[in-house]
Structure formats: structure tokens, C-alpha cells
Amino acid sequence: MTRVIADISLSLDGFVTGPDPDPDNGLGVGGEALHTWAFSDDPDDRRILREATARSGAVILGRRLFDVIDGPKGWNDDSGYGAREVGKPAFIVVTNSPPPSVRLTDLDWTFVTTGLPDAVAAARERAEAASAQSGQDLDVVLMGGGATIGSAIDAGLVDALTLHLAPVVLGAGTPLFTAAAPRTLVQRSVTSTSTATHLTYDIP
């Protein structure tokens, strides 16, 4: 069964970017520290990254995040989705309008202009097709940004939430949750390394 899993790194004070993120400034001031774990040689960090990349049948992201990773300081030949794993699932971008051009033309991009539920439906269809082709169950991964994940959870579109809690305090940036509806999650796993605490919750 295809699940929708929100998967994102954040700081101890709840930010998923540093201050002033944009295509020229990447994840903002200090934001790269959130993803130190993805380039770690720790066996648990490597396993978590490898397993997450391998299970990705399709990936959803918002337009702001797309502009950062497709920007001049975004993904490159050495580091893409899954960092050093460099996975290439289908990517579904939620946006008001498609961009005039795409730098990362070697990836499979679909731009959905009719809202987040339609983006999830499109991603689920792509993940199910990839599952049938590969013979294994693959998931839809919602990689961000923070507002997109928060909206998806509030809309009941997400089955599980995986957080990579980095041991940094950014002081400001893009929060993961702003005016989220109160809810209780079910903790499923915790793995601690020197670079992050990896937490997985089911969302009832």
C-alpha cells in the first residue's frame, strides 16, 4: 500500500531553513547545518538515508523549495535527492504556475497548479506505477517545505512524519509548524546519532 510520508530536517527551535532562504542563498543563513546528517559517515545516518531514498516512488515539494534546489546553489551532479544516494523518483511540484525553465532537466518534473490534494493524487499514481514496475512497495515522500508539510498534515493527507532533528539552534527561519491544529501522533521509532535524532511518527 502506498503511504504518504512527510520527511524533513529541522533545528531544535523548530526551523526547517535558516533566515533568508532563496535561490541565491539556498536554505538560508546556517540552514545547511540541518542536513549535516545526510553527508555523515555514521552507519545509522547512512542507513536511514539509503532506506528513505530507496522507498521513494514519488516526491512532492512546494514551489519555494523547488526554486532553491533548481537554483544556482541547489542540487548538482554530486548531490541531489537523497544527498550522496542521488535518487531519481518522479518529482511533483505544487505551484500556482510552472516555471519558465528548469535547470535540472535530467529529473522527472510534474507541476501541479490545482492544489495540494491533486498533487498528492498525482504523486500517488506515479508511486504506484513505480511500485508495480519495481515489484516493491514504494511511498510518496513529502519533502517540504515547512508550509507544504504543515498544510498537508492539517488536510489529513499524510500518513507518517519523519523528522531529522539537528543539534543546532537557528534563532529564525522557516518554521515547520505555525498555526497547526492540535493533534497527538504515535511515535514509532527513534534513532540517535552524533549529527541528528531521527524520529518517525504515525499520524492517526
Side-chain angles (χ1 to χ4, degrees):
M1 179 179 177
T2 301
R3 298 187 305 160
V4 178
I5 300 175
D7 190 313
I8 196 165
S9 300
L10 79 163
S11 66
L12 292 175
D13 49 348
F15 296 108
V16 298
T17 76
D20 303 319
D22 61 38
D24 293 323
N25 198 28
L27 294 173
V29 178
E32 296 301 327
L34 298 173
H35 297 102
T36 299
W37 73 270
F39 299 93
S40 164
D41 290 325
D42 183 285
D44 283 328
D45 286 331
R46 300 296 300 150
R47 174 184 56 80
I48 287 167
L49 183 66
R50 182 174 60 253
E51 291 175 353
T53 305
R55 75 164 187 256
S56 302
V59 175
I60 301 172
L61 61 154
R63 178 58 184 271
R64 288 183 183 178
L65 180 55
F66 167 79
D67 287 342
V68 168
I69 66 177
D70 195 56
K73 295 186 178 179
W75 290 348
N76 54 46
D77 290 341
D78 298 321
S79 176
Y81 180 73
R84 287 181 292 184
E85 296 294 322
V86 191
K88 292 188 177 182
F91 292 93
I92 313 297
V93 181
V94 187
T95 181
N96 289 326
S97 61
S101 63
V102 175
R103 178 177 66 86
L104 298 169
T105 55
D106 61 326
L107 298 178
D108 180 0
W109 297 103
T110 298
F111 298 91
V112 175
T113 60
T114 51
L116 188 53
D118 285 346
V120 171
R124 189 184 298 277
E125 183 176 335
R126 297 297 297 274
E128 288 173 351
S131 296
Q133 185 174 15
S134 67
Q136 60 180 327
D137 290 334
L138 300 176
D139 297 321
V140 171
V141 177
L142 181 56
M143 67 176 288
T148 302
I149 287 179
S151 296
I153 290 175
D154 284 345
L157 298 172
V158 181
D159 300 306
L161 173 64
T162 295
L163 301 176
H164 311 283
L165 186 62
V168 297
V169 175
L170 294 176
T174 305
L176 176 56
F177 298 113
T178 51
R183 64 177 64 239
T184 299
L185 309 186
V186 180
Q187 184 169 289
R188 290 302 183 198
S189 67
V190 179
T191 303
S192 296
T193 71
S194 63
T195 58
T197 301
H198 307 281
L199 304 146
T200 298
Y201 303 91
D202 285 342
I203 302 178

